[in-house]
Amino acid sequence: MVKIVIDGIEREVPEQSTLLEGIESLGIEVPRFCFHKRLSIAGNCRMCLVEIRSSSAKLVPSCAMRFHDLSPGLDGKAPEIFTNTLMVKKAREGVMEFLLINHPLDCPICDQGGECDLQDQAMAFGMDKSRYSERKRAVEDKNVGPLVKTVMTRCIHCTRCVRFMNEVAGISELGLIGRGEDAEITTYLEKAMASELQGNVIDLCPVGALTSKPSSLQARPWELNKTDTIDVMDAVGSAIRVETFGSEVIRIVPRTNENVNEEWISDKTRFIFDGLRTQRLDHPYIRKQGKLVLATWKEAFLVISEKIDSLDSSKIGAIAGDLASVEEMYAMKQLMKMLGSKNMDCREQQSALDPALGRSSYLFNSTISGIEESEFLLLVGTNPRKEAAVLNTRIRKRWITGKLEIMLVGENADLTYDYHHLGLGPDSIQKVVDHLLIRRKNPMIIVGQGALNREDGAAILSSLAQIAQSFGVVTDRWNGFNILHTAAGRVGGLDLDFVPGKGGHNREQMLEDSEILFLLAADEVDIMKRRSGLTVYIGSHGDVGAHHADIILPGAAYTEKSGTWVNTEGRVQMSKRACLVPGDAREDWAILRALSEALGKTLPFNSLQQLRLALYNEYPHFSDIDKITYSDNTGINALALRKYQPLSKSVFKPHVEDFYFTNPIARSSSIMASCSLSAQGTSTEIEK
């Protein structure tokens, strides 16, 4: 800490912080356009000027100078900084006047209107007239893809978008060409952007030069109802805000959560909203003579009841899907118990995960923010850029510092950072041992679903657990053994033990043998294995599960219900309802409660609050919202002790083939379809 005098008051501030950050930490507002705390310093807008008085008075950009760079004041006293003098005021007015020389006066038709930094700062720090009467310049708009709309005449060349794409997204897709009034921000040869994070430039743009193309001219910011919730497009659990206009979701934007997503979200998270209103299931259906026909809830429940009454409990099964929340899985598990069935599963096909071993055997134990403490990373059977795009930015953030060595066993893909490729299959895993012999701080292993969902998945997991124990990946103070999940509902299901009981059937066996099978938002199943029996689909979209179902019970999407989810690191999160379900659909837990009554096995709760009270009594850690319940290393020890057959020589296959089509909502989205087509055949370049 150093002593400094700011606006006549002596303060203590961190020596390494910039003047802007130090001043704002004291509650004093400093205008800026180019500065962003997560990006490198550009210092090119000059809006953040402050006055420094040491040996002489001068103006400096507060974003580009740190406190330890200041010269001592007169007579060796602490240097003085002023943010509100006449010199500062006139300088800021002059900068704003220059910025507005060519900026078009189209605020009434600009999507940024109402939340525009330029508008706000022109009012607060600008002047009420301009001395320039020359013609404004015009810049041709660029077509950079289906997501980002460009009106480049509005651009003030702050270069936030350029720095984000280079530094955070890791793809050099935007740049500044030309000089002076001919300067323009554009893509290379005006190609479309291909990054999975490109939508974040919309939030970063301080003017209306980059806005959301799918949301263009839909509504004004002040007309939208805003709901803070969480994302379920992957297992990261990014903090988001869902904005609705009437009954429709118009926009999804990020919220800051330093422990999870910082302030970034993926394009799938941001632009999925049109999939929430298409291909929706809004009424119950019953299959008659090979065709699905409209039915009432009572009729659908009656068919299920008649079928179950004639069955042995061993012929009843339930599969929970990727987007199922904890509440509905808990209700389904309780119903299956009352029916006497042990046939239930929430895992993927051939999954090696077993919650009986302990929670640490299936969690991202080092936590997402813990990536920034590691000096060695081994990726096995995973492509985090496609499977968890926001988590991948943490890996790149650590790699940029030069303190992280990365090795990969699996698909040789562009991950936006350099790595040493050890091989394509599990036979290459032992090669990492020579590198781990060199002790590094907090080594990590990240195991992807591509390594787990195969015949030798359990053997791979066991061998990695043995390596982790032998080479300091798992110690008393550090647990670097991590499972990277791709489904938002998976960890919650494992925490609930939504897996086959003793003698129960797993996913594959249920598909083949069950006379009645409940699919709880389960679409990622090999439904062609099911040859006979009654299939009941409970979900929100007409996807694979609904197409092959005999009875459809329409449920709620994640924006239409309050639910609990557990992300890949074991953090319990709760979503909030942003809009109502369409038509005659119902929340999933309520469907199961009504079904249980029709079956004569009434569940012991009548409201969501009662359900959660029962859930918390049985599984207390679900009540610790936004917290990670500590889990010891017993699960990893149990994995290491298991003995399996030798590892296969078959290569790891990518778990996510198309980033934009990973769940029913995404497959229903025309925006995601456009992104998928745009991304095909696009090559990118790694930038450090």
Side-chain angles (χ1 to χ4, degrees):
M1 302 291 283
V2 295
K3 287 186 178 181
I4 203 82
V5 179
I6 300 176
D7 290 339
I9 303 174
E10 190 172 282
R11 317 270 189 172
E12 280 196 351
V13 293
E15 186 177 2
Q16 293 298 322
S17 65
T18 63
L19 302 188
L20 188 150
E21 292 172 308
I23 293 169
E24 289 214 324
S25 68
L26 304 175
I28 302 172
E29 183 180 1
V30 179
R32 92 294 301 271
F33 291 114
C34 67
F35 176 80
H36 192 280
K37 65 180 181 180
R38 302 190 199 279
L39 304 177
S40 62
I41 294 171
N44 54 8
C45 79
R46 286 305 194 263
M47 194 65 197
C48 63
L49 292 171
V50 296
E51 183 180 345
I52 304 294
R53 291 182 190 172
S54 50
S55 57
S56 62
K58 59 181 179 179
L59 294 173
V60 299
S62 59
C63 70
M65 181 173 285
R66 301 186 185 276
F67 286 104
H68 67 75
D69 295 326
L70 295 177
S71 302
L74 296 173
D75 301 324
K77 295 181 180 179
E80 293 184 271
I81 300 175
F82 292 91
T83 66
N84 54 8
T85 62
L86 182 61
M87 181 188 292
V88 172
K89 181 177 183 295
K90 289 296 183 183
R92 290 173 178 173
E93 287 178 353
V95 170
M96 182 62 70
E97 191 177 6
F98 276 118
L99 289 175
L100 294 176
I101 289 176
N102 289 306
H103 195 81
L105 298 176
D106 57 355
C107 299
I109 61 166
C110 178
D111 277 322
Q112 199 82 348
E115 52 185 10
C116 175
D117 290 347
L118 189 64
Q119 269 186 342
D120 297 340
Q121 294 186 35
M123 291 296 293
F125 302 99
M127 58 194 303
D128 59 356
K129 59 184 177 181
S130 173
R131 291 168 286 181
Y132 296 94
S133 58
E134 291 83 5
R135 290 183 179 179
K136 294 180 181 287
R137 74 165 188 166
V139 181
E140 184 180 354
D141 295 337
K142 312 296 188 297
N143 183 10
V144 297
L147 301 180
V148 181
K149 175 184 175 182
T150 63
V151 185
M152 301 313 293
T153 302
R154 301 171 184 162
C155 180
I156 62 172
H157 305 149
C158 70
T159 68
R160 279 187 182 182
C161 55
V162 176
R163 284 175 283 147
F164 172 82
M165 296 304 295
N166 287 341
E167 297 164 13
V168 180
I171 304 175
S172 183
E173 292 186 314
L174 286 174
L176 189 144
I177 60 173
R179 300 181 68 184
E181 69 172 11
D182 296 323
E184 294 183 26
I185 300 290
T186 183
T187 56
Y188 179 68
L189 297 179
E190 298 194 7
K191 289 185 177 180
M193 292 193 289
S195 171
E196 301 82 8
L197 299 162
Q198 62 182 276
N200 290 287
V201 301
I202 296 169
D203 302 324
L204 290 171
C205 184
V207 294
L210 303 175
T211 56
S212 171
K213 187 176 287 188
S215 301
S216 178
L217 305 178
Q218 295 295 306
R220 287 296 194 181
W222 57 84
E223 297 176 312
L224 301 175
N225 294 316
K226 301 171 175 62
T227 306
D228 291 347
T229 182
I230 55 148
D231 171 53
V232 300
M233 291 299 106
D234 54 31
V236 175
S238 301
I240 60 173
R241 187 174 72 235
V242 175
E243 301 184 352
T244 56
F245 185 71
S247 60
E248 290 190 356
V249 177
I250 295 295
R251 191 169 67 167
I252 298 175
V253 295
R255 291 186 296 119
T256 300
N257 187 331
E258 299 292 348
N259 294 319
V260 181
N261 61 305
E262 296 183 303
E263 59 185 84
W264 318 125
I265 55 174
S266 72
D267 294 338
K268 185 165 52 177
T269 298
R270 184 185 297 269
F271 295 106
I272 201 74
F273 54 82
D274 71 317
L276 292 167
R277 53 180 179 259
T278 55
Q279 294 289 95
R280 287 305 302 269
L281 302 173
D282 55 2
H283 287 88
Y285 286 87
I286 297 176
R287 191 175 296 276
K288 294 181 179 179
Q289 298 178 351
K291 294 184 178 180
L292 288 168
V293 297
L294 281 172
T296 65
W297 285 99
K298 185 176 181 180
E299 290 171 342
F301 288 161
L302 181 61
V303 174
I304 298 170
S305 179
E306 290 176 349
K307 180 70 174 179
I308 286 181
D309 287 343
S310 62
L311 288 179
D312 182 82
S313 61
S314 63
K315 295 297 182 179
I316 305 171
I319 299 176
D322 293 357
L323 302 183
S325 71
V326 168
E327 284 84 355
E328 57 216 48
M329 284 190 283
Y330 179 73
M332 176 59 81
K333 182 179 179 180
Q334 297 304 109
L335 179 59
M336 295 297 286
K337 280 184 177 180
M338 289 185 169
L339 293 172
S341 174
K342 297 179 180 179
N343 306 327
M344 63 187 84
D345 209 344
C346 68
R347 301 167 299 183
E348 296 191 49
Q349 184 176 349
Q350 296 182 326
S351 176
L353 300 176
D354 185 357
L357 296 177
R359 203 162 183 251
S360 60
S361 69
Y362 59 83
L363 290 183
F364 200 95
N365 292 292
S366 67
T367 73
I368 295 171
S369 60
I371 294 172
E372 297 185 35
E373 301 174 18
S374 178
E375 293 184 354
F376 178 87
L377 172 61
L378 171 65
L379 301 169
V380 181
T382 181
N383 180 338
R385 180 178 170 185
K386 288 186 176 181
E387 296 171 19
V390 174
L391 183 144
N392 196 56
T393 65
R394 290 274 190 169
I395 299 176
R396 177 176 168 80
K397 181 180 179 181
R398 180 61 174 170
W399 172 76
I400 284 178
T401 66
K403 296 180 180 180
L404 180 63
E405 181 181 1
I406 305 172
M407 297 189 177
L408 172 70
V409 177
E411 177 192 16
N412 191 2
D414 175 10
L415 301 182
T416 73
Y417 40 78
D418 294 329
Y419 57 83
H420 179 52
H421 189 233
L422 298 178
L424 295 171
D427 54 332
S428 302
I429 290 176
Q430 290 299 323
K431 294 180 182 178
V432 78
V433 171
D434 294 335
H435 299 277
L436 282 171
L437 287 173
I438 304 172
R439 293 292 178 178
R440 295 175 178 85
K441 181 183 177 183
N442 299 336
M444 291 176 58
I445 297 174
I446 297 180
V447 189
Q449 300 303 307
L452 298 177
N453 304 322
R454 41 187 281 158
E455 291 184 359
D456 61 345
I460 293 170
L461 202 57
S462 178
S463 63
L464 289 170
Q466 293 169 17
I467 291 173
Q469 283 189 327
S470 302
F471 296 97
V473 177
V474 177
T475 65
D476 293 337
R477 62 171 188 83
W478 171 256
N479 189 339
F481 187 83
N482 302 301
I483 306 298
L484 179 59
H485 292 275
T486 57
R490 186 84 66 237
V491 176
L494 293 171
D495 281 352
L496 283 170
D497 290 323
F498 199 94
V499 293
K502 187 175 182 180
H505 293 173
N506 61 22
R507 174 185 291 233
E508 291 75 33
Q509 294 168 327
M510 283 187 280
L511 285 169
E512 296 176 0
D513 301 335
S514 295
E515 289 296 324
I516 181 167
L517 178 63
F518 293 97
L519 298 179
L520 185 59
D523 293 276
E524 318 305 322
V525 295
D526 188 1
I527 201 69
M528 300 309 295
K529 288 184 177 181
R530 187 151 179 79
R531 303 296 183 184
S532 61
L534 184 74
T535 303
V536 180
Y537 179 79
I538 304 171
S540 60
H541 282 72
D543 203 66
V544 176
H547 290 169
H548 294 84
D550 300 297
I551 297 176
I552 294 176
L553 305 178
Y558 74 103
T559 56
E560 299 159 359
K561 61 187 175 185
S562 175
T564 303
W565 316 81
V566 187
N567 77 347
T568 189
E569 60 183 352
R571 184 182 302 276
V572 179
Q573 300 173 302
M574 186 173 290
S575 68
K576 295 180 182 177
R577 183 171 64 186
C579 54
L580 299 176
V581 293
D584 204 22
R586 298 289 185 270
E587 293 187 35
D588 303 67
W589 74 266
I591 294 172
L592 293 167
R593 169 60 179 79
L595 175 60
S596 70
E597 188 172 351
L599 297 176
K601 306 287 185 181
T602 306
L603 293 172
F605 43 80
N606 297 315
S607 66
L608 184 59
Q609 290 73 20
Q610 291 179 359
L611 185 156
R612 284 178 175 159
L613 182 60
L615 172 68
Y616 298 160
N617 286 335
E618 192 169 349
Y619 302 95
H621 76 279
F622 284 119
S623 63
D624 294 330
I625 305 301
D626 202 32
K627 295 180 181 178
I628 302 174
T629 302
Y630 172 76
S631 55
D632 56 30
N633 301 334
T634 55
I636 301 168
N637 297 337
L639 279 174
L641 292 173
R642 289 195 165 189
K643 303 297 182 183
Y644 294 97
Q645 72 278 9
L647 301 180
S648 167
K649 293 186 178 180
S650 61
V651 301
F652 291 127
K653 295 181 179 178
H655 182 68
V656 175
E657 294 284 356
D658 191 332
F659 170 78
Y660 299 102
F661 286 154
T662 55
N663 60 61
I665 303 177
R667 289 189 286 270
S668 300
S669 168
S670 60
I671 300 173
M672 292 298 100
S674 299
C675 291
S676 180
L677 290 173
S678 178
Q680 289 177 8
T682 304
S683 61
T684 57
E685 178 183 331
I686 296 178
E687 283 291 324
K688 181 173 181 179

